[in-house]
Amino acid sequence: MKFFVDTADTNEIRELAATGLLDGVTTNPSLIHKSGRKFLEVVEEICGIVQGPVSAEVVALDHETMMKEAAVLRKIADNVCIKVPLTIDGLKTCKALTSEGVMVNVTLCFSANQALLAAKAGASFISPFVGRHDDNGFDGMKLIEDIRLIYDNYAFDTEILVASVRHPIHVLESAKIGADVMTAPPSVIKALFNHVLTEKGIAGFLADWEKTGQSVL
């Protein structure tokens, strides 16, 4: 499963990219607002940090303006992935862009039927929001299961990009189901490293090493 980080904080992205575990980045208008920086400037910097897809979202609601915004975003770097909402105009834009060989991430997916539509429109990625799904009394992981089944039934190339990931269990369950990608905030990705027995083991080894009186250097 590919790991994308969901942030516009370039310092966090650099830190995670240095681990070799980062496959891409997703951004959205809310994350850009949180960064306090200019949208195009941030996207360009991120594209220079990672080689994988960097999702940059259009903000227009009509197809014609979405295409104009996408034209600007495509010029930033070859690894820009245009992010569009799951609307009729969004999927129309998706079809037009993917027909030209442009990566497209269809976002704000909350049903398997929507995911089916995105795949038929040629989406590179579909982004079902599992955390928000859970928040509203639905089962986010069941949504991922349904999308996986449908995509496998028809051999769609669209990759399932699990979004709105809130905790490590979302990552684990997504991997067990067979999601292609997950995107999570830096804090969630860093939490994947944590286990009380790992910490206890390190502490024990260090205590015993200190008793030897030796030094590696």
Side-chain angles (χ1 to χ4, degrees), residues 92-106:
K92 187 177 179 180
T93 301
C94 172
K95 185 65 175 179
L97 291 173
T98 55
S99 296
E100 297 177 11
V102 178
M103 288 187 293
V104 176
N105 177 359
V106 177

Side-chain angles (χ1 to χ4, degrees), residues 139-189:
D139 186 343
M141 288 300 108
K142 182 62 169 64
L143 173 59
I144 304 304
E145 288 180 357
D146 289 345
I147 297 173
R148 180 77 280 161
L149 176 62
I150 291 169
Y151 281 13
D152 289 347
N153 280 348
Y154 299 99
F156 284 122
D157 293 328
T158 302
E159 295 187 47
I160 301 172
L161 195 168
V162 182
S164 189
V165 170
R166 301 282 175 76
H167 45 68
I169 297 300
H170 275 154
V171 180
L172 174 62
E173 293 301 320
S174 297
K176 288 165 65 176
I177 291 167
D180 303 286
V181 192
M182 77 88 200
T183 187
S187 59
V188 173
I189 295 177

